[in-house]
Amino acid sequence: MKQLKTILFALLVGVSVALTYHVFERAVHHSIDIVWNDWFATEQRRLLVVPLTLLLGLVYFALVHYLAPKNTDNKNEALGAIPAATIRNLLKVLIIGYFSLLAGASLGPEAILVPACVIIGTLLASVALQNDEKAKKLLGAIALAALFTAFFNSFFIGVLSLLLLAKHAKTQLSIILVLLAGLSCGASYLALRLLSASAYATLPPYSWHINLATVVAASFLVIVGYGVCYGLWLSEHISEKVRIRVASQNWWIRAIVATAGLSFLFLIGGYWVEFTGNQYVVPLFRDAASLGIVGLVWIGIVKIAAIGWSKMLGYRGGLIFPTIFVAAVVVAAVQLYATDVNMLYGFIAIMVGAFIANRRLNILF
């Protein structure tokens, strides 16, 4: 009976995670579209970026100050590390994360949805299995795999994400964990198909064809990805000096400093460097020729600066999806001069290089 309950609730975790991801992602995407594009038309009226970033930033930092006063200096998740599994904390994570991304943070939703979905898994385990701490930890862990299925709209990537569980959920891999995660990922995938949801980051049309040019370029792009991660580290290091200087000030002074720096980067980098960047990958490849190598390099540099600034000055969000956008900038630049290079393998090579560097730097996750 207990095993059957565990299986049923593993399926329920997958569906719940899929719904949470879909609703949160749609809410952020449509809100950004309405506020930034429809109401203020910031892509055309670039100077409006400054007051809008300030206004939304003040709202966001006020929420952090009053909802999570003990975590105002945290640079990652919405409430610090994964908080206690309560409905109250779940709502706080989602509300703070939503306003962080709406306010323009050049960060991704993963550092928001990871703790939210682990909380969901743990809460469901509490309902089904009550005081079974092992089961709570297990269902909290498979929620992470179900979330990666949602992010990439892929059952296999969700299962492969189990390799991250040891770090995020401090859970060792086991046959039971793999089987339950597979059920949860399958439920998440099917739920998203019924919702007609798409992957968080959409790529231009691609194939798995590989050629000599791609092999040669991939070797180079692994090194570039390594450098991208170090660029993010440098951006954080520089931004941290500012954070330290204003750390003792009132929350609204820190908010003004954070929003002023972010709006400046938005002005000099254009709308390409705003938000996570997942919506700009396809347009970037489409406009790469008109942007040219100088434009692409500039976008990449400013985007890295915006990511580091957002993270260190108090916005909430993750670095994996913004780094994917930086990878897109690099691949688009390479394809200006080597059109035969397969975009997909270029992405993979850059991210592999970044993950290798992250083993030393520990900044991406």
mmCIF file of all heavy atoms in Angstrom, residues 164-211:
data_model
loop_
_atom_site.group_PDB
_atom_site.id
_atom_site.type_symbol
_atom_site.label_atom_id
_atom_site.label_comp_id
_atom_site.label_asym_id
_atom_site.label_seq_id
_atom_site.Cartn_x
_atom_site.Cartn_y
_atom_site.Cartn_z
ATOM 1 N N LEU A 164 22.189 16.169 -11.006
ATOM 2 C CA LEU A 164 22.287 17.396 -10.213
ATOM 3 C C LEU A 164 21.681 17.239 -8.821
ATOM 4 O O LEU A 164 21.855 18.108 -7.966
ATOM 5 C CB LEU A 164 21.562 18.547 -10.942
ATOM 6 C CG LEU A 164 22.130 18.947 -12.307
ATOM 7 C CD1 LEU A 164 21.259 20.031 -12.924
ATOM 8 C CD2 LEU A 164 23.559 19.439 -12.171
ATOM 9 N N LEU A 165 20.970 16.161 -8.594
ATOM 10 C CA LEU A 165 20.263 16.011 -7.329
ATOM 11 C C LEU A 165 21.194 15.961 -6.129
ATOM 12 O O LEU A 165 20.849 16.435 -5.048
ATOM 13 C CB LEU A 165 19.397 14.757 -7.363
ATOM 14 C CG LEU A 165 18.189 14.825 -8.311
ATOM 15 C CD1 LEU A 165 17.444 13.502 -8.294
ATOM 16 C CD2 LEU A 165 17.258 15.962 -7.940
ATOM 17 N N ALA A 166 22.350 15.346 -6.319
ATOM 18 C CA ALA A 166 23.296 15.248 -5.202
ATOM 19 C C ALA A 166 23.670 16.623 -4.685
ATOM 20 O O ALA A 166 23.915 16.814 -3.491
ATOM 21 C CB ALA A 166 24.541 14.488 -5.635
ATOM 22 N N LYS A 167 23.681 17.619 -5.583
ATOM 23 C CA LYS A 167 24.078 18.968 -5.175
ATOM 24 C C LYS A 167 22.894 19.751 -4.610
ATOM 25 O O LYS A 167 22.992 20.381 -3.568
ATOM 26 C CB LYS A 167 24.674 19.719 -6.363
ATOM 27 C CG LYS A 167 25.154 21.121 -6.022
ATOM 28 C CD LYS A 167 25.806 21.767 -7.232
ATOM 29 C CE LYS A 167 26.316 23.158 -6.878
ATOM 30 N NZ LYS A 167 27.396 23.133 -5.893
ATOM 31 N N HIS A 168 21.762 19.698 -5.318
ATOM 32 C CA HIS A 168 20.629 20.533 -4.937
ATOM 33 C C HIS A 168 19.782 19.944 -3.817
ATOM 34 O O HIS A 168 19.292 20.669 -2.960
ATOM 35 C CB HIS A 168 19.728 20.794 -6.153
ATOM 36 C CG HIS A 168 20.303 21.800 -7.090
ATOM 37 N ND1 HIS A 168 20.359 23.140 -6.803
ATOM 38 C CD2 HIS A 168 20.854 21.667 -8.317
ATOM 39 C CE1 HIS A 168 20.911 23.803 -7.811
ATOM 40 N NE2 HIS A 168 21.231 22.915 -8.739
ATOM 41 N N ALA A 169 19.574 18.640 -3.842
ATOM 42 C CA ALA A 169 18.698 18.028 -2.845
ATOM 43 C C ALA A 169 19.450 17.121 -1.886
ATOM 44 O O ALA A 169 18.834 16.513 -1.008
ATOM 45 C CB ALA A 169 17.594 17.240 -3.543
ATOM 46 N N LYS A 170 20.771 16.994 -2.057
ATOM 47 C CA LYS A 170 21.612 16.168 -1.194
ATOM 48 C C LYS A 170 21.050 14.746 -1.074
ATOM 49 O O LYS A 170 20.889 14.203 0.013
ATOM 50 C CB LYS A 170 21.730 16.815 0.178
ATOM 51 C CG LYS A 170 22.420 18.182 0.137
ATOM 52 C CD LYS A 170 22.545 18.801 1.507
ATOM 53 C CE LYS A 170 23.238 20.150 1.439
ATOM 54 N NZ LYS A 170 23.346 20.804 2.749
ATOM 55 N N THR A 171 20.716 14.194 -2.244
ATOM 56 C CA THR A 171 20.148 12.853 -2.300
ATOM 57 C C THR A 171 21.027 11.972 -3.163
ATOM 58 O O THR A 171 21.357 12.332 -4.294
ATOM 59 C CB THR A 171 18.723 12.896 -2.896
ATOM 60 O OG1 THR A 171 17.908 13.743 -2.081
ATOM 61 C CG2 THR A 171 18.116 11.505 -2.960
ATOM 62 N N GLN A 172 21.383 10.804 -2.668
ATOM 63 C CA GLN A 172 22.184 9.881 -3.452
ATOM 64 C C GLN A 172 21.297 9.122 -4.431
ATOM 65 O O GLN A 172 20.150 8.806 -4.142
ATOM 66 C CB GLN A 172 22.907 8.901 -2.533
ATOM 67 C CG GLN A 172 23.982 9.556 -1.676
ATOM 68 C CD GLN A 172 24.774 8.544 -0.874
ATOM 69 O OE1 GLN A 172 24.412 7.377 -0.824
ATOM 70 N NE2 GLN A 172 25.857 8.994 -0.271
ATOM 71 N N LEU A 173 21.860 8.835 -5.610
ATOM 72 C CA LEU A 173 21.102 8.125 -6.627
ATOM 73 C C LEU A 173 20.861 6.680 -6.187
ATOM 74 O O LEU A 173 21.724 6.049 -5.587
ATOM 75 C CB LEU A 173 21.848 8.151 -7.957
ATOM 76 C CG LEU A 173 22.044 9.528 -8.597
ATOM 77 C CD1 LEU A 173 22.788 9.388 -9.913
ATOM 78 C CD2 LEU A 173 20.707 10.212 -8.822
ATOM 79 N N SER A 174 19.686 6.183 -6.512
ATOM 80 C CA SER A 174 19.330 4.793 -6.229
ATOM 81 C C SER A 174 18.359 4.341 -7.308
ATOM 82 O O SER A 174 17.799 5.153 -8.046
ATOM 83 C CB SER A 174 18.688 4.659 -4.847
ATOM 84 O OG SER A 174 17.443 5.339 -4.820
ATOM 85 N N ILE A 175 18.136 3.032 -7.380
ATOM 86 C CA ILE A 175 17.212 2.492 -8.383
ATOM 87 C C ILE A 175 15.804 3.025 -8.150
ATOM 88 O O ILE A 175 15.096 3.409 -9.094
ATOM 89 C CB ILE A 175 17.219 0.949 -8.347
ATOM 90 C CG1 ILE A 175 18.590 0.423 -8.778
ATOM 91 C CG2 ILE A 175 16.129 0.388 -9.252
ATOM 92 C CD1 ILE A 175 18.731 -1.080 -8.688
ATOM 93 N N ILE A 176 15.398 3.100 -6.894
ATOM 94 C CA ILE A 176 14.054 3.611 -6.577
ATOM 95 C C ILE A 176 13.920 5.063 -7.009
ATOM 96 O O ILE A 176 12.903 5.466 -7.595
ATOM 97 C CB ILE A 176 13.774 3.467 -5.064
ATOM 98 C CG1 ILE A 176 13.703 1.991 -4.685
ATOM 99 C CG2 ILE A 176 12.477 4.172 -4.691
ATOM 100 C CD1 ILE A 176 13.517 1.747 -3.206
ATOM 101 N N LEU A 177 14.942 5.863 -6.728
ATOM 102 C CA LEU A 177 14.915 7.266 -7.110
ATOM 103 C C LEU A 177 14.806 7.414 -8.625
ATOM 104 O O LEU A 177 14.008 8.215 -9.135
ATOM 105 C CB LEU A 177 16.175 7.977 -6.603
ATOM 106 C CG LEU A 177 16.351 9.442 -7.043
ATOM 107 C CD1 LEU A 177 15.184 10.282 -6.570
ATOM 108 C CD2 LEU A 177 17.666 9.999 -6.522
ATOM 109 N N VAL A 178 15.587 6.638 -9.370
ATOM 110 C CA VAL A 178 15.562 6.719 -10.825
ATOM 111 C C VAL A 178 14.194 6.322 -11.375
ATOM 112 O O VAL A 178 13.639 6.983 -12.261
ATOM 113 C CB VAL A 178 16.669 5.835 -11.439
ATOM 114 C CG1 VAL A 178 16.537 5.784 -12.960
ATOM 115 C CG2 VAL A 178 18.049 6.368 -11.050
ATOM 116 N N LEU A 179 13.624 5.249 -10.844
ATOM 117 C CA LEU A 179 12.320 4.782 -11.325
ATOM 118 C C LEU A 179 11.215 5.796 -11.017
ATOM 119 O O LEU A 179 10.388 6.113 -11.885
ATOM 120 C CB LEU A 179 11.983 3.435 -10.690
ATOM 121 C CG LEU A 179 12.833 2.236 -11.146
ATOM 122 C CD1 LEU A 179 12.457 0.991 -10.359
ATOM 123 C CD2 LEU A 179 12.669 2.002 -12.642
ATOM 124 N N LEU A 180 11.203 6.316 -9.804
ATOM 125 C CA LEU A 180 10.178 7.298 -9.438
ATOM 126 C C LEU A 180 10.360 8.601 -10.214
ATOM 127 O O LEU A 180 9.383 9.231 -10.631
ATOM 128 C CB LEU A 180 10.222 7.567 -7.937
ATOM 129 C CG LEU A 180 9.737 6.437 -7.033
ATOM 130 C CD1 LEU A 180 9.895 6.822 -5.574
ATOM 131 C CD2 LEU A 180 8.284 6.092 -7.335
ATOM 132 N N ALA A 181 11.611 8.996 -10.411
ATOM 133 C CA ALA A 181 11.876 10.205 -11.198
ATOM 134 C C ALA A 181 11.401 10.007 -12.638
ATOM 135 O O ALA A 181 10.863 10.930 -13.256
ATOM 136 C CB ALA A 181 13.363 10.538 -11.166
ATOM 137 N N GLY A 182 11.594 8.780 -13.179
ATOM 138 C CA GLY A 182 11.126 8.492 -14.527
ATOM 139 C C GLY A 182 9.610 8.633 -14.623
ATOM 140 O O GLY A 182 9.086 9.213 -15.589
ATOM 141 N N LEU A 183 8.889 8.133 -13.622
ATOM 142 C CA LEU A 183 7.431 8.282 -13.604
ATOM 143 C C LEU A 183 7.025 9.751 -13.509
ATOM 144 O O LEU A 183 6.112 10.211 -14.208
ATOM 145 C CB LEU A 183 6.848 7.506 -12.420
ATOM 146 C CG LEU A 183 6.898 5.977 -12.504
ATOM 147 C CD1 LEU A 183 6.448 5.368 -11.177
ATOM 148 C CD2 LEU A 183 6.024 5.477 -13.647
ATOM 149 N N SER A 184 7.712 10.480 -12.634
ATOM 150 C CA SER A 184 7.393 11.895 -12.450
ATOM 151 C C SER A 184 7.697 12.703 -13.707
ATOM 152 O O SER A 184 6.913 13.570 -14.110
ATOM 153 C CB SER A 184 8.190 12.446 -11.261
ATOM 154 O OG SER A 184 7.766 13.740 -10.932
ATOM 155 N N CYS A 185 8.829 12.410 -14.353
ATOM 156 C CA CYS A 185 9.191 13.105 -15.593
ATOM 157 C C CYS A 185 8.190 12.795 -16.697
ATOM 158 O O CYS A 185 7.809 13.677 -17.485
ATOM 159 C CB CYS A 185 10.596 12.699 -16.037
ATOM 160 S SG CYS A 185 11.918 13.335 -14.982
ATOM 161 N N GLY A 186 7.768 11.532 -16.777
ATOM 162 C CA GLY A 186 6.776 11.155 -17.773
ATOM 163 C C GLY A 186 5.461 11.881 -17.565
ATOM 164 O O GLY A 186 4.842 12.371 -18.523
ATOM 165 N N ALA A 187 5.028 11.979 -16.311
ATOM 166 C CA ALA A 187 3.786 12.692 -16.005
ATOM 167 C C ALA A 187 3.912 14.176 -16.329
ATOM 168 O O ALA A 187 2.981 14.789 -16.872
ATOM 169 C CB ALA A 187 3.436 12.505 -14.528
ATOM 170 N N SER A 188 5.072 14.745 -16.016
ATOM 171 C CA SER A 188 5.313 16.158 -16.324
ATOM 172 C C SER A 188 5.283 16.398 -17.828
ATOM 173 O O SER A 188 4.651 17.356 -18.317
ATOM 174 C CB SER A 188 6.670 16.585 -15.745
ATOM 175 O OG SER A 188 6.956 17.924 -16.056
ATOM 176 N N TYR A 189 5.939 15.525 -18.567
ATOM 177 C CA TYR A 189 6.004 15.666 -20.028
ATOM 178 C C TYR A 189 4.613 15.569 -20.655
ATOM 179 O O TYR A 189 4.241 16.392 -21.509
ATOM 180 C CB TYR A 189 6.925 14.600 -20.605
ATOM 181 C CG TYR A 189 7.066 14.653 -22.104
ATOM 182 C CD1 TYR A 189 7.857 15.624 -22.714
ATOM 183 C CD2 TYR A 189 6.402 13.744 -22.911
ATOM 184 C CE1 TYR A 189 7.979 15.681 -24.091
ATOM 185 C CE2 TYR A 189 6.512 13.791 -24.293
ATOM 186 C CZ TYR A 189 7.310 14.757 -24.877
ATOM 187 O OH TYR A 189 7.423 14.813 -26.240
ATOM 188 N N LEU A 190 3.827 14.578 -20.234
ATOM 189 C CA LEU A 190 2.491 14.405 -20.798
ATOM 190 C C LEU A 190 1.574 15.577 -20.442
ATOM 191 O O LEU A 190 0.785 16.033 -21.273
ATOM 192 C CB LEU A 190 1.880 13.091 -20.298
ATOM 193 C CG LEU A 190 2.533 11.812 -20.840
ATOM 194 C CD1 LEU A 190 1.914 10.587 -20.174
ATOM 195 C CD2 LEU A 190 2.377 11.735 -22.355
ATOM 196 N N ALA A 191 1.689 16.070 -19.212
ATOM 197 C CA ALA A 191 0.876 17.219 -18.798
ATOM 198 C C ALA A 191 1.194 18.444 -19.644
ATOM 199 O O ALA A 191 0.290 19.182 -20.073
ATOM 200 C CB ALA A 191 1.112 17.519 -17.315
ATOM 201 N N LEU A 192 2.471 18.653 -19.914
ATOM 202 C CA LEU A 192 2.870 19.798 -20.732
ATOM 203 C C LEU A 192 2.411 19.643 -22.179
ATOM 204 O O LEU A 192 2.076 20.630 -22.843
ATOM 205 C CB LEU A 192 4.389 19.981 -20.664
ATOM 206 C CG LEU A 192 4.911 20.462 -19.306
ATOM 207 C CD1 LEU A 192 6.422 20.359 -19.249
ATOM 208 C CD2 LEU A 192 4.475 21.898 -19.042
ATOM 209 N N ARG A 193 2.407 18.416 -22.684
ATOM 210 C CA ARG A 193 1.890 18.175 -24.030
ATOM 211 C C ARG A 193 0.405 18.514 -24.100
ATOM 212 O O ARG A 193 -0.065 19.117 -25.079
ATOM 213 C CB ARG A 193 2.119 16.716 -24.432
ATOM 214 C CG ARG A 193 3.578 16.345 -24.674
ATOM 215 C CD ARG A 193 4.158 17.082 -25.877
ATOM 216 N NE ARG A 193 3.516 16.702 -27.117
ATOM 217 C CZ ARG A 193 3.911 15.710 -27.908
ATOM 218 N NH1 ARG A 193 4.969 14.968 -27.547
ATOM 219 N NH2 ARG A 193 3.267 15.438 -29.024
ATOM 220 N N LEU A 194 -0.339 18.148 -23.072
ATOM 221 C CA LEU A 194 -1.768 18.467 -23.037
ATOM 222 C C LEU A 194 -1.996 19.974 -22.951
ATOM 223 O O LEU A 194 -2.996 20.490 -23.471
ATOM 224 C CB LEU A 194 -2.430 17.766 -21.847
ATOM 225 C CG LEU A 194 -2.528 16.230 -21.942
ATOM 226 C CD1 LEU A 194 -3.059 15.648 -20.634
ATOM 227 C CD2 LEU A 194 -3.436 15.825 -23.101
ATOM 228 N N LEU A 195 -1.075 20.668 -22.288
ATOM 229 C CA LEU A 195 -1.171 22.121 -22.158
ATOM 230 C C LEU A 195 -0.601 22.854 -23.375
ATOM 231 O O LEU A 195 -0.656 24.087 -23.434
ATOM 232 C CB LEU A 195 -0.418 22.587 -20.906
ATOM 233 C CG LEU A 195 -1.026 22.169 -19.562
ATOM 234 C CD1 LEU A 195 -0.033 22.430 -18.428
ATOM 235 C CD2 LEU A 195 -2.332 22.912 -19.314
ATOM 236 N N SER A 196 -0.045 22.092 -24.318
ATOM 237 C CA SER A 196 0.614 22.670 -25.502
ATOM 238 C C SER A 196 1.730 23.620 -25.100
ATOM 239 O O SER A 196 1.936 24.670 -25.737
ATOM 240 C CB SER A 196 -0.410 23.403 -26.397
ATOM 241 O OG SER A 196 -1.391 22.497 -26.864
ATOM 242 N N ALA A 197 2.439 23.282 -24.041
ATOM 243 C CA ALA A 197 3.547 24.111 -23.558
ATOM 244 C C ALA A 197 4.802 23.811 -24.371
ATOM 245 O O ALA A 197 4.984 22.712 -24.881
ATOM 246 C CB ALA A 197 3.800 23.846 -22.083
ATOM 247 N N SER A 198 5.658 24.798 -24.482
ATOM 248 C CA SER A 198 6.911 24.637 -25.216
ATOM 249 C C SER A 198 8.083 24.709 -24.257
ATOM 250 O O SER A 198 7.930 25.082 -23.085
ATOM 251 C CB SER A 198 7.056 25.726 -26.283
ATOM 252 O OG SER A 198 7.003 27.013 -25.700
ATOM 253 N N ALA A 199 9.267 24.345 -24.756
ATOM 254 C CA ALA A 199 10.478 24.444 -23.941
ATOM 255 C C ALA A 199 10.737 25.897 -23.570
ATOM 256 O O ALA A 199 10.333 26.822 -24.281
ATOM 257 C CB ALA A 199 11.661 23.872 -24.705
ATOM 258 N N TYR A 200 11.424 26.096 -22.437
ATOM 259 C CA TYR A 200 11.649 27.467 -21.968
ATOM 260 C C TYR A 200 12.496 28.267 -22.949
ATOM 261 O O TYR A 200 12.231 29.431 -23.211
ATOM 262 C CB TYR A 200 12.328 27.448 -20.596
ATOM 263 C CG TYR A 200 12.432 28.824 -19.990
ATOM 264 C CD1 TYR A 200 11.314 29.456 -19.469
ATOM 265 C CD2 TYR A 200 13.648 29.498 -19.963
ATOM 266 C CE1 TYR A 200 11.391 30.727 -18.938
ATOM 267 C CE2 TYR A 200 13.740 30.771 -19.428
ATOM 268 C CZ TYR A 200 12.609 31.378 -18.916
ATOM 269 O OH TYR A 200 12.689 32.646 -18.404
ATOM 270 N N ALA A 201 13.526 27.650 -23.497
ATOM 271 C CA ALA A 201 14.382 28.323 -24.474
ATOM 272 C C ALA A 201 14.178 27.654 -25.837
ATOM 273 O O ALA A 201 14.494 26.481 -26.002
ATOM 274 C CB ALA A 201 15.847 28.250 -24.058
ATOM 275 N N THR A 202 13.624 28.396 -26.788
ATOM 276 C CA THR A 202 13.363 27.868 -28.116
ATOM 277 C C THR A 202 14.552 28.154 -29.030
ATOM 278 O O THR A 202 15.028 29.293 -29.104
ATOM 279 C CB THR A 202 12.096 28.500 -28.708
ATOM 280 O OG1 THR A 202 11.003 28.270 -27.820
ATOM 281 C CG2 THR A 202 11.773 27.896 -30.069
ATOM 282 N N LEU A 203 15.023 27.124 -29.721
ATOM 283 C CA LEU A 203 16.143 27.272 -30.650
ATOM 284 C C LEU A 203 15.631 27.343 -32.086
ATOM 285 O O LEU A 203 14.535 26.859 -32.383
ATOM 286 C CB LEU A 203 17.103 26.081 -30.515
ATOM 287 C CG LEU A 203 17.721 25.835 -29.137
ATOM 288 C CD1 LEU A 203 18.638 24.618 -29.206
ATOM 289 C CD2 LEU A 203 18.475 27.051 -28.647
ATOM 290 N N PRO A 204 16.410 27.946 -32.971
ATOM 291 C CA PRO A 204 16.050 27.902 -34.389
ATOM 292 C C PRO A 204 16.038 26.456 -34.875
ATOM 293 O O PRO A 204 16.569 25.565 -34.206
ATOM 294 C CB PRO A 204 17.179 28.703 -35.063
ATOM 295 C CG PRO A 204 17.790 29.509 -33.977
ATOM 296 C CD PRO A 204 17.639 28.700 -32.725
ATOM 297 N N PRO A 205 15.445 26.177 -36.031
ATOM 298 C CA PRO A 205 15.450 24.801 -36.558
ATOM 299 C C PRO A 205 16.882 24.254 -36.642
ATOM 300 O O PRO A 205 17.802 24.955 -37.051
ATOM 301 C CB PRO A 205 14.837 24.966 -37.957
ATOM 302 C CG PRO A 205 13.984 26.195 -37.848
ATOM 303 C CD PRO A 205 14.721 27.115 -36.919
ATOM 304 N N TYR A 206 17.073 23.007 -36.230
ATOM 305 C CA TYR A 206 18.412 22.417 -36.213
ATOM 306 C C TYR A 206 18.340 20.946 -36.589
ATOM 307 O O TYR A 206 17.265 20.336 -36.621
ATOM 308 C CB TYR A 206 19.050 22.575 -34.832
ATOM 309 C CG TYR A 206 18.313 21.878 -33.719
ATOM 310 C CD1 TYR A 206 18.544 20.529 -33.441
ATOM 311 C CD2 TYR A 206 17.370 22.556 -32.940
ATOM 312 C CE1 TYR A 206 17.860 19.879 -32.416
ATOM 313 C CE2 TYR A 206 16.688 21.919 -31.921
ATOM 314 C CZ TYR A 206 16.935 20.584 -31.664
ATOM 315 O OH TYR A 206 16.253 19.940 -30.654
ATOM 316 N N SER A 207 19.487 20.376 -36.876
ATOM 317 C CA SER A 207 19.599 18.944 -37.155
ATOM 318 C C SER A 207 20.759 18.391 -36.336
ATOM 319 O O SER A 207 21.552 19.142 -35.762
ATOM 320 C CB SER A 207 19.854 18.706 -38.648
ATOM 321 O OG SER A 207 21.185 19.068 -38.976
ATOM 322 N N TRP A 208 20.860 17.055 -36.307
ATOM 323 C CA TRP A 208 21.939 16.396 -35.577
ATOM 324 C C TRP A 208 23.108 16.062 -36.508
ATOM 325 O O TRP A 208 24.034 15.368 -36.104
ATOM 326 C CB TRP A 208 21.422 15.124 -34.906
ATOM 327 C CG TRP A 208 20.520 15.415 -33.748
ATOM 328 C CD1 TRP A 208 19.156 15.475 -33.756
ATOM 329 C CD2 TRP A 208 20.907 15.706 -32.404
ATOM 330 N NE1 TRP A 208 18.663 15.776 -32.511
ATOM 331 C CE2 TRP A 208 19.731 15.919 -31.652
ATOM 332 C CE3 TRP A 208 22.137 15.806 -31.753
ATOM 333 C CZ2 TRP A 208 19.731 16.229 -30.296
ATOM 334 C CZ3 TRP A 208 22.145 16.106 -30.397
ATOM 335 C CH2 TRP A 208 20.965 16.316 -29.684
ATOM 336 N N HIS A 209 23.059 16.576 -37.726
ATOM 337 C CA HIS A 209 24.142 16.309 -38.677
ATOM 338 C C HIS A 209 25.444 16.930 -38.176
ATOM 339 O O HIS A 209 25.456 18.055 -37.668
ATOM 340 C CB HIS A 209 23.789 16.898 -40.046
ATOM 341 C CG HIS A 209 24.903 16.814 -41.034
ATOM 342 N ND1 HIS A 209 25.299 15.617 -41.606
ATOM 343 C CD2 HIS A 209 25.730 17.767 -41.548
ATOM 344 C CE1 HIS A 209 26.305 15.846 -42.427
ATOM 345 N NE2 HIS A 209 26.579 17.146 -42.421
ATOM 346 N N ILE A 210 26.533 16.201 -38.305
ATOM 347 C CA ILE A 210 27.833 16.711 -37.864
ATOM 348 C C ILE A 210 28.829 16.614 -39.017
ATOM 349 O O ILE A 210 28.765 15.691 -39.835
ATOM 350 C CB ILE A 210 28.349 15.923 -36.636
ATOM 351 C CG1 ILE A 210 29.561 16.619 -36.014
ATOM 352 C CG2 ILE A 210 28.651 14.481 -36.985
ATOM 353 C CD1 ILE A 210 29.927 16.094 -34.639
ATOM 354 N N ASN A 211 29.704 17.605 -39.103
ATOM 355 C CA ASN A 211 30.711 17.637 -40.164
ATOM 356 C C ASN A 211 32.040 18.083 -39.581
ATOM 357 O O ASN A 211 32.148 18.385 -38.384
ATOM 358 C CB ASN A 211 30.268 18.569 -41.300
ATOM 359 C CG ASN A 211 29.888 19.957 -40.789
ATOM 360 O OD1 ASN A 211 30.439 20.441 -39.801
ATOM 361 N ND2 ASN A 211 28.929 20.590 -41.451
#
